[in-house]
Amino acid sequence: IAPTTDGAHMGQTSFSTLGSMDLHLTGDPVAVKAEIDSVVTGGFTNLMEGIALATEELDNDAGDGDAHDRDDTISPDFMIIITDGAPNEPGTDTNAKAVAKAAADAAKAAGIEIFVVGVGTTAGTATYLRDNIASGSDHYFDVADFDELETILENIAECDGGSA
């Protein structure tokens, strides 16, 4: 997955106890790599905030005069979620799962195609992510650890043309 000025643009949100808009959509591969390399694991899993922030970034009509997305008819929207756990923030695990599903449903309704890579998940977590967050079972990938991540991401990029 390689962002370019005239091709795919990438951005990054992260989610732990809170969600964070880490990098606005850009065609700068150096900025993208630096931001990916700066992610720190740990804490809780506030999947809802990560999805909501990414959805807002991919909204062509953000209303703030600072939209970073391009015309969806030319550059469709894709979200790739990489997570090693089930949502457990905000509130109880049950609430966290419900609000994350609602955020994913809203993103899909806005035309965003969601791919999910579960890293080291349990059977229950994998089922939840596949059935509630990903755009379909063919949009969910399970890997044992982060060492397998690059291959999965390359397959996702080839599958959809690498647009974002």
Side-chain angles (χ1 to χ4, degrees):
I1 301 177
T4 62
T5 302
D6 296 333
H9 283 187
M10 296 172 64
Q12 179 178 302
T13 65
S14 58
F15 49 94
S16 182
T17 304
L18 299 173
S20 172
M21 180 69 232
D22 301 330
L23 181 67
H24 290 289
L25 290 168
T26 180
D28 181 353
V30 174
V32 170
K33 178 161 181 6
E35 200 57 50
I36 290 169
D37 289 346
S38 74
V39 171
V40 177
T41 61
F44 292 96
T45 303
N46 194 333
L47 183 55
M48 178 272 301
E49 282 196 13
I51 293 171
L53 288 166
T55 301
E56 184 179 325
E57 181 71 3
L58 291 168
D59 183 2
N60 277 327
D61 188 19
D64 62 2
D66 194 25
H68 299 103
D69 191 23
R70 296 178 294 172
D71 182 349
D72 291 347
T73 60
I74 297 167
S75 181
D77 294 335
F78 297 95
M79 185 183 304
I80 300 173
I81 300 170
I82 303 167
T83 182
D84 64 354
N88 53 20
E89 281 289 330
T92 65
D93 291 353
T94 302
N95 179 62
K97 287 180 179 178
V99 296
K101 180 185 181 317
D105 289 346
K108 292 176 221 175
I112 299 169
E113 194 171 346
I114 302 176
F115 292 87
V116 179
V117 181
V119 182
T121 59
T122 66
T125 302
T127 299
Y128 166 78
L129 294 169
R130 182 191 67 232
D131 295 349
N132 295 282
I133 304 300
S135 288
S137 60
D138 60 338
H139 285 62
Y140 178 77
F141 304 89
D142 204 47
V143 297
D145 55 44
F146 286 101
D147 292 337
E148 299 177 30
L149 195 55
E150 185 174 357
T151 300
I152 294 297
L153 294 176
E154 287 172 355
N155 289 337
I156 291 172
E158 289 173 13
C159 173
D160 61 53
S163 299

